[in-house]
Amino acid sequence: MKSRYRICNWSEYHAALEARGSLTVWIDEGVLSAWKNKQKTGKRGASNTYSDL
């Protein structure tokens, strides 16, 4: 027979579910502005090429 796991501390369990998969990334504004491609392609929509930065 398969054993069942019962949750005893619901507040801790809920906090763990909210934190699961959370990722924080800090990007400097200078890097972000230099990364965007400012060259016009002459076509509609945004260009999908970016700098190597």
Side-chain angles (χ1 to χ4, degrees):
M1 189 181 250
K2 194 173 189 179
S3 62
R4 286 182 29 181
Y5 175 75
R6 291 188 184 226
I7 298 166
C8 299
N9 189 345
W10 282 99
S11 60
E12 185 179 312
Y13 176 73
H14 183 67
L17 284 179
E18 286 181 347
R20 182 174 62 177
S22 177
L23 176 67
T24 303
V25 177
W26 297 87
I27 300 176
D28 186 61
E29 287 292 328
V31 172
L32 190 59
S33 64
W35 182 62
K36 293 179 182 175
N37 186 10
K38 295 182 175 82
Q39 294 176 338
K40 301 288 183 180
T41 61
K43 298 179 182 177
R44 294 175 64 184
S47 175
N48 59 358
T49 56
Y50 300 93
S51 70
D52 289 336
L53 182 65

